[in-house]
Amino acid sequence: MEHNMIIIAQGLAEELQRGKIRHLEQGYMTDAERGWSGADVRRIEVTYENGQKESVIYKEAALKERMAMKTLTDQGHQNTPATFSLDLETDEPRWMAIEDLGSVKFPPPGVDWSPRVAEALARIHALNMHRGSEMLWLPHADRHYWENYLVTQVSVDHFQTLIEQNPEFYKEFGAYLPLLREKANAFSRDMVALYDEKESLTLTHGDLQSVDGSHIHYYKGKPYFIDFGWCYYAPFYIDLASYFNLEDAKIYYKELIANGISLSYDDFYERLRAAFRYSGLIYLYPSIRQWSLGPTELTGKRLLHMLKIILTGEFPERRIDYSSKLFSELLNEHKNGTLHKLN
């Protein structure tokens, strides 16, 4: 393993034009930096023959993530870290070396950040639009994916299971299940229609979270996207839903047009609104885990937000740690029995 690590690190060094590596040693990494996917992630300190030192991230990643990162690296890695892996064929987790972006996630005060993120994301999407036949390693978010996986196994099935197993959760949230299924199925139909339409299909990150999330880093004055473990060939709208409000999404739209994509704003707006529920569905299970044994007043903050997004198609605040004012409003709607009746 150590020998392979040196070879992989040397491959990344050549990509970054760093020179020959002299030796490696274990570095330090926090739990937050490792993330919550369960993947083995390490920081390794590299010393080059010229005396230069820097750190490199190693991640044991599935084939689709290794190939997504190679594709983006080959395209110039303007807004993604450069990577290198020895194995570009095995459909099992294998090591890749990743350019270390450091620990600074957010830009300093005064930086107009959303336009930079919009510009970078539009470039990535445009470069990979309609290339599904060239990326045989990239799974498609097709009918089976939406109907039989995302809105069921990934999200609503977990909600139903906890209702069936936990009397306290059933008492609090049992009334939500019928409408939750209905809205999830409506979302699935919309996403299947977008897949069949084909016009918006591209390499998507799939897990961009919100502005206070961990998957967009401030690095050398630019946004860098990391952790493509949930990448799919899917409508680009799902990468906008969690991060951009409607005003900032207009900036993305203009950047997409500037990159040569033909699309009317009315069509863009309609499809983006349909995609809003994606965030609620993909983060429903983590929010259930956060609720745990309750009470909702203390541990239900994220869950109420996800339910609001799924049930109403509205996205009150695009933050994981959203405002106390909004939480108070959602809590009142929940306690008054109105949240699960809103449409």
Side-chain angles (χ1 to χ4, degrees), residues 24-301:
L24 308 178
E25 58 186 87
Q26 186 70 41
Y28 174 74
M29 174 171 273
T30 66
D31 289 341
E33 287 179 296
R34 287 190 181 90
W36 312 108
S37 68
D40 194 349
V41 183
R42 309 174 186 179
R43 175 173 281 114
I44 301 295
E45 302 297 334
V46 178
T47 302
Y48 299 98
E49 283 193 340
N50 62 6
Q52 180 183 354
K53 295 184 178 184
E54 67 179 348
S55 57
V56 168
I57 302 298
Y58 279 81
K59 181 177 183 179
E60 203 171 31
L63 177 63
K64 69 172 184 175
E65 184 173 6
R66 302 195 306 273
M67 288 301 299
M69 297 311 298
K70 173 177 168 48
T71 298
L72 294 165
T73 297
D74 290 347
Q75 289 171 350
H77 56 82
Q78 296 181 58
N79 297 99
T80 55
T83 66
F84 181 84
S85 175
L86 283 173
D87 189 332
L88 300 176
E89 296 181 356
T90 306
D91 194 16
E92 293 176 3
R94 292 290 186 267
W95 289 104
M96 67 175 175
I98 310 170
E99 180 182 8
D100 191 351
L101 305 182
S103 59
V104 179
K105 294 182 180 179
F106 307 111
V111 174
D112 198 4
W113 189 234
S114 288
R116 298 188 192 186
V117 176
E119 178 185 9
L121 190 60
R123 183 187 305 115
I124 290 172
H125 286 160
L127 279 171
N128 296 287
M129 200 81 74
H130 309 145
R131 293 185 57 204
S133 61
E134 303 171 37
M135 299 186 244
L136 301 180
W137 44 268
L138 184 62
H140 285 223
D142 54 13
R143 179 181 297 275
H144 175 78
Y145 172 78
W146 296 114
E147 293 181 354
N148 302 323
Y149 184 59
L150 190 123
V151 305
T152 50
Q153 296 179 46
V154 171
S155 55
V156 184
D157 285 0
H158 291 293
F159 192 87
Q160 181 169 341
T161 297
L162 195 57
I163 283 175
E164 293 169 350
Q165 295 178 348
N166 187 317
E168 290 300 317
F169 191 78
Y170 171 78
K171 182 180 178 181
E172 284 265 339
F173 296 102
Y176 289 84
L177 184 59
L179 188 57
L180 196 61
R181 288 279 184 201
E182 177 188 327
K183 297 302 182 181
N185 290 337
F187 167 81
S188 175
R189 289 193 296 271
D190 287 338
M191 294 302 104
V192 170
L194 285 182
Y195 178 82
D196 291 342
E197 183 184 76
K198 302 187 187 311
E199 294 306 311
S200 59
L201 300 181
T202 187
L203 169 63
T204 56
H205 182 284
D207 186 22
L208 279 188
Q209 303 176 356
S210 50
V211 293
D212 58 338
S214 59
H215 290 164
I216 303 179
H217 276 237
Y218 177 82
Y219 185 62
K220 296 181 179 179
K222 298 191 298 185
Y224 273 67
F225 303 92
I226 66 167
D227 289 351
F228 277 74
W230 201 264
C231 63
Y232 279 87
Y233 190 59
F236 61 74
Y237 298 99
I238 64 171
D239 277 349
L240 313 184
S242 296
Y243 198 89
F244 297 103
N245 60 32
L246 289 172
E247 203 58 39
D248 289 336
K250 289 180 182 178
I251 302 171
Y252 170 91
Y253 170 76
K254 292 176 182 176
E255 293 293 343
L256 200 64
I257 299 303
N259 277 276
I261 304 302
S262 178
L263 176 67
S264 77
Y265 181 74
D266 286 347
D267 285 346
F268 171 82
Y269 177 84
E270 176 189 3
R271 287 154 178 76
L272 176 60
R273 286 304 304 263
F276 277 1
R277 286 189 168 95
Y278 177 78
S279 302
L281 288 161
I282 201 169
Y283 302 128
L284 182 62
Y285 177 62
S287 72
I288 294 170
R289 291 284 302 273
Q290 190 178 71
W291 183 87
S292 186
L293 297 177
T296 302
E297 290 86 346
L298 298 179
T299 61
K301 185 174 182 180

